[in-house]
Each structure stands twice: as structure tokens, then as C-alpha cells.
């Protein structure tokens, strides 16, 4: 035998009953994100949106996955229940006092747990009159997320998801920067678990996809260069060139029946079916 052992991440596989618990968390994530989006308007500040989300977490009997996160990893504990990243902010934006203004492109990233099971999702939207270039950027990111999810199947590999995300972005009419410094991830009894789910890669590579896996797919793309920098607050990730960025994310499960998008209101039925992927919710 060899002295060299390849380190394989231990991936948490969920039973059907555990997946149903993840769905409870995911549904609440979807409802709260919808409410936050509804409340966002010119003159409303990200910090007010964060307070709305915090109140709904409490009402739903859930626990924020974000608040206090990172304290044990050498990062300052994250101070809010949402990440709200505006314009040139890519991800992990700390909700600001400055009110939103018409034209802002806003990403809201949100995660919580119910009974210890986590859900994590992000949306991007424009405030006020839609700007075509920014709307197209957000839509390309959303399409890439769904392409990635729809590429997953039992017996496949994590690289199938990454390759589909990358291909979707590269096939857009506009050339976008694909942020490679941050990835999607496994999720379950913790928000971040192995394996990483990169937004670029090669099909057929990486961890095998098996029944009971839950993954968060979260492409981030920019109107310019994909290079990132982190602000002095140690959280907010911005584009180095100041270009505007978008971010979308869903948590999904590989069930015995197909794919179940736990943080989508409809479980992913519409978007998966449109892509010829197998929609596989559990009762
Ligand atoms: N939800 C982010 C992700 O998608 C992580 C947020 S970091 C936190 O992985 F500190 F805000 F929790
Ligand atoms: Co995530």
C-alpha cells in the first residue's frame, strides 16, 4: 500500500425525512427573499431590509445562518442576517444605512436553519426603472444557476454542474467576467459543507453526485473583469475594476426521483422541466 492517501471530503447524505426538513427551511428562505424583494425600493435602506428578514426569521421559528458566522474562522463575526451587495459589490455585502436609489443593482443573499437544517439562496434585482445592461447581467447569472442545477444527476460529477454554469455564461450575447474566487458548496446541518461547487470547470471531474446530496449553486458574474478585492470591513467583496456584478443562488437536493430545488417556491418544477431535467420532489 501507498503512504500517499488522497483526502476525500466526507459528504453528508440526507435521508428522505431529512430532505423534507431541508425543504421546510428552503421554503422559508424563499418566502423571506420574496418579501425582501417586495420591500426594496428607492429610499429604502439595506439595513431596513435586513431588519425585515430578521423579524421574519423569528416569526418562522428559524435561526439565521449568517448572523455571527465566521467568528471561529479568524473573520469578524458576520453582523447581519442578510448579505446585501449593491452595484460593484459582488457578494458578502454588509447591509448599509445608505438608502437604495433608482438604478442600483442589488443582490440579497440569505440563509437560515429550521431544526438544524439549512437553506441558502440569493437573488439579484434592479431598483426603479430597469437598466437593460444590468437586467441582462442578472438574467445571465440566473440562467447559469439553473443550467448548473439542471446538469446535476445521480452518477454524474460536480464538474458537470461547473461546466454547465460556465458554458451558459460564455454562451451569452455579452462577454461577462466569471468570478472564480468564490464557489457554491454542500449544505445540510451546516451552511457550508464539502464539496465546493465551482462556477468554472470540466464535466466528468470532481466528486460523484449521489442520492441525498444537497448543494448550493451560486454563480457570480460581472460586466467587467472577474478580479475581486475585499473591503476593510473584511467581508464585502467588490470588483477590482468597479464594474457591476450579479449573484444568484439556490439550494437543491438529489432525490431518488430527480432534482428538488429546496429554496424555490415551486421546488424548481418550471425551470427544471423547461430544461428537460427531472423534477423529483418528495411528498
Ligand atoms: N450565503 C453565503 C454563501 O452563499 C455566505 C454568507 S457568509 C455570511 O455561501 F457570513 F454572511 F454568512
Ligand atoms: Co451559499
Amino acid at each position: 500500500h501507498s503512504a500517499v492517501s488522497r483526502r476525500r471530503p466526507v459528504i453528508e447524505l440526507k435521508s428522505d425525512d431529512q430532505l423534507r426538513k431541508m425543504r421546510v427551511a428552503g421554503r422559508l428562505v424563499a418566502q423571506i427573499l420574496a418579501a425582501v424583494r417586495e420591500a426594496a425600493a428607492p429610499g429604502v435602506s439595506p439595513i431596513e431590509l435586513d431588519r425585515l428578514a430578521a423579524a421574519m426569521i423569528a416569526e418562522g421559528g428559524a435561526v439565521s445562518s449568517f448572523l455571527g458566522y465566521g467568528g471561529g474562522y479568524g473573520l469578524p463575526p458576520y453582523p447581519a442576517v442578510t448579505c446585501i451587495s449593491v452595484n460593484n459589490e459582488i457578494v458578502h455585502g454588509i447591509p448599509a444605512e445608505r438608502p437604495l436609489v433608482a438604478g442600483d443593482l442589488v443582490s440579497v443573499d440569505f440563509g437560515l436553519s429550521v431544526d438544524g437544517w439549512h437553506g441558502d439562496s440569493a437573488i439579484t434585482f434592479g431598483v426603479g426603472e430597469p437598466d437593460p445592461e444590468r437586467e441582462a447581467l442578472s438574467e445571465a447569472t440566473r440562467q447559469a444557476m439553473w443550467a448548473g442545477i439542471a446538469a446535476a444527476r445521480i452518477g454524474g460529477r460536480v464538474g458537470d454542474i461547473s461546466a454547465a454554469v460556465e458554458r451558459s455564461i460564455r454562451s451569452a450575447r455579452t462577454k461577462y467576467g466569471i468570478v472564480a474566487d468564490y464557489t457554491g458548496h454542500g449544505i445540510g446541518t451546516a451552511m457550508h459543507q464539502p464539496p465546493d461547487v465551482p462556477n468554472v470547470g470540466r464535466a466528468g471531474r470532481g466528486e460523484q453526485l449521489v442520492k441525498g446530496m444537497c448543494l448550493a449553486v451560486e454563480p457570480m458574474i460581472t460586466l467587467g473583469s472577474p478580479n475581486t478585492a475585499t473591503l476593510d470591513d473584511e467581508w464585502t467583496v467588490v470588483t477590482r475594476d468597479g464594474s457591476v456584478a450579479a449573484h444568484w443562488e439556490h439550494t437543491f437536493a438529489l432525490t431518488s426521483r430527480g432534482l428538488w430545488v429546496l429554496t424555490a417556491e415551486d421546488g424548481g418544477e418550471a425551470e427544471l422541466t423547461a430544461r428537460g431535467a427531472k423534477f423529483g420532489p418528495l411528498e
Side-chain angles (χ1 to χ4, degrees), residues 109 120 185 191-192 216 218 249:
D109 188 348
D120 186 11
H185 49 92
M191 170 171 64
H192 290 148
E218 49 179 318
E249 175 176 18

Side-chain angles (χ1 to χ4, degrees), residues 133 163 179 226 257 264:
E133 189 185 39
V179 175
R257 303 189 171 164

Side-chain angles (χ1 to χ4, degrees), residues 99-182:
L100 298 172
V101 298
D104 281 343
L105 192 72
V106 179
S107 124
V108 179
D109 188 348
F110 182 65
L112 55 69
S113 63
V114 176
D115 280 341
W117 296 95
H118 291 250
D120 186 11
S121 179
I123 59 173
T124 293
F125 54 87
V127 175
E129 275 296 293
D131 170 271
E133 189 185 39
R134 291 175 176 208
E135 293 299 320
L137 170 74
S138 174
E139 180 59 14
T141 315
R142 197 184 70 84
Q143 290 288 341
M145 171 190 67
W146 281 109
I149 296 168
R153 54 187 47 75
I154 289 169
R157 301 265 175 180
V158 168
D160 303 351
I161 300 171
S162 305
V165 168
E166 181 179 1
R167 180 174 354 101
S168 175
I169 298 164
R170 295 203 195 286
S171 72
R173 303 165 55 93
T174 308
K175 186 174 153 44
Y176 294 118
I178 307 178
V179 175
D181 293 348
Y182 298 86

Side-chain angles (χ1 to χ4, degrees), residues 19-36:
L19 291 179
R20 290 185 190 99
K21 291 187 177 182
M22 300 246 333
R23 174 59 169 159
V24 172
R27 246 189 224 289
L28 188 57
V29 169
Q31 284 163 3
I32 296 175
L33 273 179
V36 167

